[in-house]
């Protein structure tokens, strides 16, 4: 796996859905939280590494069904001179024994996508904060179940979407809130990343070296490739959509209303297998996921959002951000910003670096040194820190359950749109109308989140 009781108090549920992340809750700060990890594959161990850097976390237990993952995780604790956690393994239900036996404050879930919903729901029912890797669930009903469980138990659920904390992304958020771009009109983002060596390997290393997937492979190729074989749709919308939602105040005075997806033909994965290992049977598989999937989203306040999923073809990595308003725009692909009347020349890009430096977000200005050496340029530290600080201070998480499921539900909705001939489909209002009154709370200051 590379990746007690129900609390029904209305007052707790209300607190969990309304407390702002920079407002103290009803409990004293916890000096040290008890944390467990469900899934300690490569991504899970990245989070474990961050936990082992901190003195405010006691990692009491880990769970995985693969001995190799557990063994590598043990090495992390030994290297850090930390007490080895209790291990739970032996089957897909092993995490349930962990939830039953351990006294915990929170869990981090980093298992394959198909297990996230059940594990998160069970953890919230056990009275725990949940920090979960993307994706939240496989169906629209999965996403509703996560929301309802969080509301009923009063336990926050946070998608650990790290790109929301990328330094340039947060600087642009700062610019948006200072109205540098004027009224926002159109935003773009996506996941544009050559994943061919993630989806296939030789069974001896996590990336590349062969064209195996499933039981013959290692790491993500054991499970992630199958989604690309079975499903056409945007399989990974959160990297692009998470930041766009914060720019456009989605669920906080705005909402996404409907969407339509288009998908290209699928050639990239079969071509890759054939070129890497001519004649291999995996070159003959009918890969259903189109090489480029494009999704267009309408918002209640009139903005449009454009998402791209492009992971099967040779290309450099990019998110493809574009934030455009009545007074200018930012595009990350060309590292450009243009602000009418303020840029150096009319109709010409400024190099974005000076703007981003000037409007560096207070969180990065304050905590950049703490994040140094953490994964993905430091943004992993920020998203993990946000979750841990929420648990310690018994506050709502800055990316809450409504935000989490909204950025994830695009996957089953895009699949539905494609299956029905590029039909426009409605996007659920998981807040049940509360979006009209909810205030924007994400990264408003440098309070530690």
């Amino acid at each position: 796996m590379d990746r007690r009781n129900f609390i029904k108090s209305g007052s707790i549920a209300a607190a969990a859905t309304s407390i702002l992340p920079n407002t103290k809750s009803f409990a004293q700060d916890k000096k040290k939280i008890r944390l467990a990890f469900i899934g300690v594959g490569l991504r899970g161990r990245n989070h474990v590494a961050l936990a082992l850097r901190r003195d405010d976390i006691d990692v009491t237990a880990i769970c995985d069904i693969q001995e190799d993952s557990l063994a590598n995780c043990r090495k992390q604790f030994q290297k850090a001179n930390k007490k080895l956690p209790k291990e739970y393994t032996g089957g897909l239900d092993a995490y349930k024994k962990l939830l039953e036996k351990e006294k915990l404050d929170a869990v981090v879930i980093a298992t394959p996508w198909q297990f996230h919903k059940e594990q998160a729901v069970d953890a919230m029912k056990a009275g725990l904060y949940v920090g979960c890797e993307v994706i939240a669930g496989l169906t629209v009903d999965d996403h509703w179940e996560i929301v309802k469980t969080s509301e009923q138990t009063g336990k926050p659920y946070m998608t650990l979407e790290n790109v929301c904390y990328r330094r340039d992304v947060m600087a642009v958020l700062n610019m948006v809130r200072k109205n540098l771009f004027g009224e926002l009109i159109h935003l773009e983002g996506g996941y544009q990343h050559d994943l061919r060596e993630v989806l296939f390997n030789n069974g001896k290393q996590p990336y590349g070296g062969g064209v195996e997937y499933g039981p013959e492979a290692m790491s993500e190729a054991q499970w992630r490739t199958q989604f690309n074989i079975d499903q056409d749709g945007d399989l990974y919308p959160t990297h692009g959509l998470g930041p766009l939602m914060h720019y456009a105040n989605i669920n906080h005075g705005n909402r996404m209303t409907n969407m339509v997806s288009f998908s290209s033909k699928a050639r990239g994965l079969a071509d890759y297998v054939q070129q890497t290992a001519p004649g291999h049977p995996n070159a003959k598989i009918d890969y259903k996921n189109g090489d480029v999937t494009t999704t267009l989203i309408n918002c209640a306040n009139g903005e449009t959002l454009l998402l791209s999923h492009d992971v099967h073809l040779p290309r450099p990595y990019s998110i493809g951000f574009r934030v455009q308003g009545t007074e200018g725009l930012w595009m990350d692909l060309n590292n450009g910003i243009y602000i009418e009347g303020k840029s150096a020349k009319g109709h010409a890009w400024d190099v974005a670096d000076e703007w981003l430096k000037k409007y560096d977000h207070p969180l990065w200005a304050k905590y950049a040194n703490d994040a140094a050496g953490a994964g993905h340029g430091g943004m992993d530290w920020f998203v993990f820190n946000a979750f841990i600080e929420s648990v310690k201070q018994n506050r709502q998480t800055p990316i809450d359950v409504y935000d989490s499921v909204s950025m994830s539900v695009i996957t089953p909705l895009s699949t539905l749109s494609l299956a029905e001939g590029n039909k426009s489909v409605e996007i659920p209002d998981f807040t049940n109308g509360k979006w009209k009154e909810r205030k924007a709370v994400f990264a408003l200051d440098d309070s530690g989140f």
Side-chain angles (χ1 to χ4, degrees), residues 116-126 130 142 145-146 149:
H116 287 180
K117 185 269 294 185
E118 183 179 2
Q119 291 169 346
V121 166
D122 287 345
M124 285 186 285
K125 288 180 178 180
V130 171
D142 284 350
E145 187 173 353
I146 290 170
T149 303

Side-chain angles (χ1 to χ4, degrees), residues 305-362:
L305 312 179
L306 184 67
L307 301 179
S308 177
H309 181 260
D310 171 2
V311 302
H312 300 162
L313 302 170
R315 61 162 302 125
Y317 172 86
S318 73
I319 297 294
F321 282 121
R322 171 174 167 179
V323 177
Q324 188 166 14
T326 56
E327 297 181 24
L329 74 163
W330 165 62
M331 295 182 69
D332 70 336
L333 279 174
N334 67 337
N335 191 32
I337 287 179
Y338 177 73
I339 306 295
E340 190 172 46
K342 296 181 181 179
S343 286
K345 298 179 181 179
H347 303 282
W349 293 102
D350 289 341
V351 176
D353 295 349
E354 289 303 313
W355 287 96
L356 300 177
K357 182 178 180 180
K358 180 179 180 180
Y359 290 97
D360 194 21
H361 193 279

Side-chain angles (χ1 to χ4, degrees), residues 76-116:
Q76 290 181 287
F77 284 82
Q78 291 164 346
K79 186 176 180 180
N81 293 315
K82 296 288 184 76
K83 179 183 177 182
L84 287 174
K86 187 171 181 180
E87 295 180 5
Y88 291 82
T89 188
L92 295 178
D93 287 343
Y95 79 94
K96 294 184 179 181
K97 296 180 181 178
L98 181 153
L99 296 178
E100 178 184 351
K101 294 182 178 181
E102 297 294 321
K103 293 182 179 180
L104 300 167
D105 299 300
V107 294
V108 169
I109 298 171
T111 55
W113 300 337
Q114 59 265 38
F115 304 121
H116 287 180

Side-chain angles (χ1 to χ4, degrees), residues 11-266:
S11 61
I12 295 179
T17 56
S18 64
I19 295 171
L20 301 184
N22 60 349
T23 303
K24 285 287 181 72
S25 185
F26 41 75
Q28 295 291 325
D29 292 3
K30 294 178 181 290
K31 294 190 187 229
K32 200 163 192 174
I33 70 165
R34 299 161 298 183
L35 182 66
F37 288 87
I38 302 175
V40 289
L42 286 177
R43 187 57 183 154
R45 295 198 299 275
N46 286 342
H47 290 305
V48 170
L50 291 170
L52 293 176
R53 291 171 57 168
R54 304 177 66 121
D55 295 326
D56 54 356
I57 296 175
D58 183 10
V59 181
T60 64
I62 58 175
C63 178
D64 205 290
I65 65 170
Q66 296 189 347
E67 173 57 27
D68 181 68
S69 295
L70 293 169
N72 281 300
C73 194
R74 281 182 219 124
K75 293 177 183 178
Q76 290 181 287
F77 284 82
Q78 291 164 346
K79 186 176 180 180
N81 293 315
K82 296 288 184 76
K83 179 183 177 182
L84 287 174
K86 187 171 181 180
E87 295 180 5
Y88 291 82
T89 188
L92 295 178
D93 287 343
Y95 79 94
K96 294 184 179 181
K97 296 180 181 178
L98 181 153
L99 296 178
E100 178 184 351
K101 294 182 178 181
E102 297 294 321
K103 293 182 179 180
L104 300 167
D105 299 300
V107 294
V108 169
I109 298 171
T111 55
W113 300 337
Q114 59 265 38
F115 304 121
H116 287 180
K117 185 269 294 185
E118 183 179 2
Q119 291 169 346
V121 166
D122 287 345
M124 285 186 285
K125 288 180 178 180
L128 308 180
Y129 274 68
V130 171
C132 187
E133 276 295 331
V134 299
I135 299 295
L138 302 185
T139 68
V140 176
D141 285 345
D142 284 350
H143 291 77
W144 274 113
E145 187 173 353
I146 290 170
V147 170
K148 291 174 182 176
T149 303
S150 181
E151 290 177 338
Q152 289 168 342
T153 63
K155 289 302 172 182
Y157 172 102
M158 177 176 171
T159 286
L160 300 175
E161 179 44 72
N162 56 2
V163 179
C164 293
Y165 288 91
R166 205 172 84 178
R167 193 163 195 167
D168 59 341
V169 167
M170 296 193 75
V172 172
L173 177 64
N174 198 22
M175 294 178 69
V176 167
R177 288 176 170 162
K178 294 181 183 298
N179 204 38
L180 269 295
F181 302 107
E183 182 179 357
L184 295 188
I185 304 297
H186 178 74
L187 304 98
E188 298 181 10
Y191 192 47
Q192 301 174 137
H193 188 186
D194 182 353
L195 291 184
R196 294 174 298 172
E197 290 193 350
V198 173
L199 298 175
F200 298 100
N201 59 55
N202 59 7
K204 301 176 182 178
Q205 60 194 51
Y207 304 124
V211 294
E212 302 298 338
Y213 76 94
E216 304 301 319
M218 282 188 69
S219 194
E220 289 176 78
Q222 292 181 329
W223 57 271
R224 188 169 180 173
T225 313
Q226 194 66 49
F227 283 95
N228 293 267
I229 296 171
D230 295 341
Q231 184 174 351
D232 194 12
D234 188 332
L235 301 183
Y236 209 84
T238 66
H239 274 353
L241 185 54
L244 300 190
M245 287 174 54
H246 295 137
Y247 296 141
N249 292 328
I250 300 301
N251 295 329
H252 303 271
N254 197 4
R255 68 172 292 251
M256 300 180 291
T257 58
N258 64 299
M259 53 165 277
V260 61
S261 291
F262 293 85
S263 196
S264 76
K265 56 189 175 182

